[in-house]
């Protein structure tokens, strides 16, 4: 019983010391919605466009309920997380939730405009204490936003060239 209480206290302290952050981006991609949605839905594609993702492994399932483990780098700190697809509406929306090294909620919304897809992305994430201590928060947040801009440009280039 004492171990559970200590664990709860440790989680509470972690939550109090960590920082919530959010990134919102919107981008038009010259590709049909089926292509954009299908590419993003497949977790094995993450390492080809998403800044910081090093490996994706143990992919289980397809669509809603898909689970996989990731290793990614934020500010030089390697984070191991498990992702789960918690909502998947074909060609409309994908919502991913992660736990472990970093807790996050990723919401991809797809707007179909014939040959163009507007991707609307919201990411809510909790910055772990280990990263918070590594660099000033405003620099880290700006860096994460810049990394996301690079990632979305890469995604756009990849999907428009195929």
């Amino acid at each position: 019983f004492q171990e559970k209480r200590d664990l709860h206290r440790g989680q509470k302290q972690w939550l109090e010391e960590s920082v919530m952050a959010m990134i919102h981006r919107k981008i038009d991609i010259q590709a049909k919605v089926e292509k954009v949605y299908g590419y993003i839905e497949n977790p094995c594609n993450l390492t080809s466009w998403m800044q910081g993702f090093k490996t994706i492994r143990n992919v289980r399932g397809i669509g809603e309920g898909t689970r996989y483990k990731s290793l990614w780098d934020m500010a030089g700190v390697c984070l191991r997380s498990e992702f789960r697809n918690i909502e998947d509406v074909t060609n409309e929306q994908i919502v991913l939730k992660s736990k472990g090294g970093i807790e996050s909620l990723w919401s991809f919304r797809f707007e179909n405009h014939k040959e163009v897809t507007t991707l609307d992305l919201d990411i809510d994430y909790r910055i772990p204490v280990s990263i918070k201590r590594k660099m000033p928060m405003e620099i880290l947040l700006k860096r994460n936003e810049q990394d996301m801009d690079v990632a979305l440009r890469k995604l756009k280039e990849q999907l428009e060239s195929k």
Side-chain angles (χ1 to χ4, degrees), residues 9 19 31 57 65 81 87 89 106 125 131 134 144:
R9 236 184 256 128
V19 174
R57 60 185 178 80
S81 296
E87 186 176 336
V89 180
W106 301 57
Y125 62 105
I131 295 173
K134 195 166 175 100
N144 286 347

Side-chain angles (χ1 to χ4, degrees), residues 52 72-79 127 130-132 134-135 139-140 143-144 147:
W72 56 319
D73 178 299
M74 182 185 288
V77 177
C78 282
L79 302 165
I127 298 171
S130 58
I131 295 173
K132 183 179 149 185
K134 195 166 175 100
M135 70 174 54
I139 293 173
L140 177 63
R143 184 174 169 178
N144 286 347
D147 285 349

Side-chain angles (χ1 to χ4, degrees), residues 82-94:
E82 182 170 330
F83 278 80
R84 185 168 49 104
N85 182 327
I86 62 171
E87 186 176 336
D88 197 318
V89 180
T90 304
N91 299 330
E92 291 181 21
Q93 181 166 310
I94 297 170

Side-chain angles (χ1 to χ4, degrees), residues 117-131:
T117 301
T118 300
L119 175 61
D120 194 351
L121 173 62
D122 285 311
I123 306 169
D124 294 300
Y125 62 105
R126 188 175 295 282
I127 298 171
V129 177
S130 58
I131 295 173

Side-chain angles (χ1 to χ4, degrees), residues 1 28 35 46-47 54 59-61 72 76-77 92 152:
F1 183 71
D28 287 333
K35 182 177 181 178
L46 271 172
T47 57
K54 302 299 180 196
V59 178
R60 297 181 307 269
W72 56 319
V77 177
E92 291 181 21
L152 290 176

Side-chain angles (χ1 to χ4, degrees), residues 35-46:
K35 182 177 181 178
V36 178
Y37 166 86
Y39 195 79
I40 290 173
E41 185 187 39
N42 183 347
C44 296
N45 292 328
L46 271 172

Side-chain angles (χ1 to χ4, degrees), residues 23-40:
I23 295 176
H24 173 81
R25 293 293 185 268
K26 200 171 198 173
I27 189 169
D28 287 333
I29 300 171
Q30 301 290 322
K32 291 186 176 189
V33 69
E34 295 84 3
K35 182 177 181 178
V36 178
Y37 166 86
Y39 195 79
I40 290 173

